[in-house]
């Protein structure tokens, strides 16, 4: 759950979109799994030779239910080696809460690059009829509105799973997650593959061997993120980044692949723990 891999290239929606669910509307189809997951990052390929190596970790915690809302805690530390001693160390921390109906969203994001001062975003968004009211405290106080068709990251995952269960292969959504300066909206295109049966053999990781996961089917999913402002101004169709993963029907994701055009990074699950959660009353 996707809120929502973030590097020097900017904040993305991966923490929610790939690491956890939200969307209380899915509760009728089965509860989401409260869990903690650790992912080990490594370089898959560098298309422009801009990155020689990459390493890092993502730690993700997801808790909550449809009545009380969902809380996501995400931290990613990564190191990119561009050669000739050029090392970029980034440390991203994100905390967010979204209510079960996708009407309210609160977020705090802190990004630190090398020794520079941390960049901080702190704000909230409330759905009100046909629009969304956003209030930012950081990086500077500001209020503005978004079109009501925009969804928050937890609802994004809810809709992806719902579309997958309906047999759909494409889904287009505009998503707001508070990333960058808190004013960015991404247009997304999700491609959903054929469901993978629960008994399909797979490379082992801690999630596939967990008793909570063995009976669940999953779908191969690729989500491409486009800068909506750039599209409107220039007609640009190249995604800012894309991420692929296998998404279980309870919101857990495995086999992450993060494509930033110039280079591609994988995230292998190194640890997976199911957490206690109380049911929705």
């Amino acid at each position: 759950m996707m809120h929502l891999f973030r590097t020097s290239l900017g904040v993305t929606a991966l923490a929610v979109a790939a690491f956890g669910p939200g969307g209380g509307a899915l509760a009728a189809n089965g509860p989401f799994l409260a869990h903690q997951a650790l992912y080990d990052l490594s370089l898959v390929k560098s298309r422009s030779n801009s990155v020689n190596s990459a390493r890092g970790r993502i730690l993700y915690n997801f808790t909550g239910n449809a009545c009380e809302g969902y809380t996501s805690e995400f931290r990613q530390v990564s190191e990119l080696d561009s050669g000739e001693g050029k090392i970029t160390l980034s440390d991203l921390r994100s905390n967010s809460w979204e209510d079960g109906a996708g009407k309210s969203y609160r977020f705090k994001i802190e990004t630190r690059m090398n020794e520079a001062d941390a960049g901080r975003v702190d704000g909230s968004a409330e759905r009100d009829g046909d629009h969304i009211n956003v209030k930012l405290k950081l990086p500077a106080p500001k209020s503005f509105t978004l079109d009501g068709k925009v969804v928050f990251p937890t609802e994004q995952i809810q809709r992806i799973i719902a579309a997958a269960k309906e047999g759909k292969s494409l889904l287009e959504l505009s998503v707001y997650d508070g990333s960058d300066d808190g004013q960015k909206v991404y247009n997304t295109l999700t491609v959903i593959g054929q469901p993978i049966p629960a008994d399909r053999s797979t490379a082992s990781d801690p999630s596939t061997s967990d008793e909570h996961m063995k009976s669940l089917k999953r779908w191969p999913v690729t989500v491409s993120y486009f800068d909506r402002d750039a599209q409107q101004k220039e007609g640009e169709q190249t995604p800012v980044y894309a991420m692929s993963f296998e998404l279980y029907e309870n919101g857990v994701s495995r086999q992450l692949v993060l494509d930033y055009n110039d280079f591609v990074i994988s995230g292998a699950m190194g640890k997976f723990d199911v957490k206690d959660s109380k049911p929705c009353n």
Side-chain angles (χ1 to χ4, degrees):
M1 186 183 242
M2 332 50 239
H3 300 182
L4 265 198
F5 183 80
R6 316 176 185 226
T7 69
S8 57
L9 300 181
V11 175
T12 80
L14 184 64
V16 169
F19 298 135
L26 279 182
N29 296 328
F32 289 110
L33 188 67
H35 66 283
Q36 181 182 85
L38 179 69
Y39 298 83
D40 295 311
L41 306 177
S42 60
L43 182 68
V44 175
K45 59 183 173 182
S46 179
R47 296 190 178 99
S48 62
N49 296 320
S50 59
V51 177
N52 288 351
S53 66
R55 64 176 182 173
R57 283 187 168 182
I58 292 173
L59 179 63
Y60 178 73
N61 277 290
F62 169 75
T63 57
N65 58 44
C67 297
E68 298 179 354
Y70 299 99
T71 298
S72 299
E73 298 177 346
F74 171 89
R75 185 178 185 188
Q76 180 225 324
V77 178
S78 60
E79 182 182 272
L80 300 180
D81 183 351
S82 302
E84 299 180 354
K86 296 180 180 178
I87 304 294
T88 301
L89 180 65
S90 64
D91 186 347
L92 171 97
R93 305 178 191 213
S94 174
N95 291 274
S96 62
W97 174 89
E98 186 173 335
D99 79 333
K103 293 182 178 180
S104 300
Y105 177 53
R106 299 194 299 264
F107 52 92
K108 291 184 179 181
I109 302 168
E110 180 179 313
T111 309
R112 188 181 299 274
M113 301 296 300
N114 295 329
E115 299 301 321
D117 291 340
R120 292 181 173 87
V121 181
D122 185 347
S124 62
E126 297 285 339
R127 194 175 297 278
D128 183 9
D130 62 355
H131 65 279
I132 296 170
N133 297 316
V134 180
K135 293 184 179 181
L136 296 179
K137 298 178 182 178
L138 296 172
K142 184 172 184 176
S143 298
F144 56 94
T145 61
L146 300 174
D147 188 289
K149 294 180 181 178
V150 172
V151 301
F152 303 136
T154 50
E155 184 176 354
Q156 177 192 17
I157 291 301
Q158 173 223 328
R159 294 199 185 190
I160 292 174
I161 295 177
K165 289 185 174 183
E166 293 171 6
K168 296 180 180 179
S169 58
L170 294 175
L171 180 65
E172 293 184 75
L173 294 170
S174 294
V175 179
Y176 175 78
D177 69 349
S179 61
D180 294 323
D181 60 356
Q183 301 180 59
K184 178 77 71 177
V185 174
Y186 287 101
N187 287 343
T188 69
L189 174 64
T190 301
V191 178
I192 306 168
Q194 293 296 310
I196 303 171
D199 58 0
R200 175 82 59 86
S201 61
T202 182
S204 178
D205 68 32
S207 70
T208 58
S209 60
D210 189 276
E211 62 179 11
H212 297 83
M213 311 296 294
K214 290 181 179 179
S215 63
L216 300 180
K217 65 181 176 182
R218 59 195 189 275
W219 295 267
V221 172
T222 298
V223 185
S224 298
Y225 287 79
F226 300 84
D227 186 329
R228 189 175 68 164
D229 293 336
Q231 281 191 303
Q232 291 173 344
K233 294 176 181 177
E234 306 168 13
E236 182 179 335
Q237 295 297 318
T238 302
V240 178
Y241 59 90
M243 56 188 179
S244 301
F245 47 95
E246 291 184 359
L247 178 62
Y248 285 92
E249 52 191 317
N250 66 353
V252 175
S253 295
R254 65 181 299 271
Q255 286 198 325
L256 311 177
V257 178
L258 315 171
D259 190 336
Y260 287 91
N261 297 319
D262 286 345
F263 61 96
V264 181
I265 288 178
S266 68
M269 186 179 288
K271 188 176 181 182
F272 179 79
D273 294 310
V274 175
K275 305 181 76 173
D276 291 336
S277 60
K278 60 182 181 179
C280 186
N281 295 322

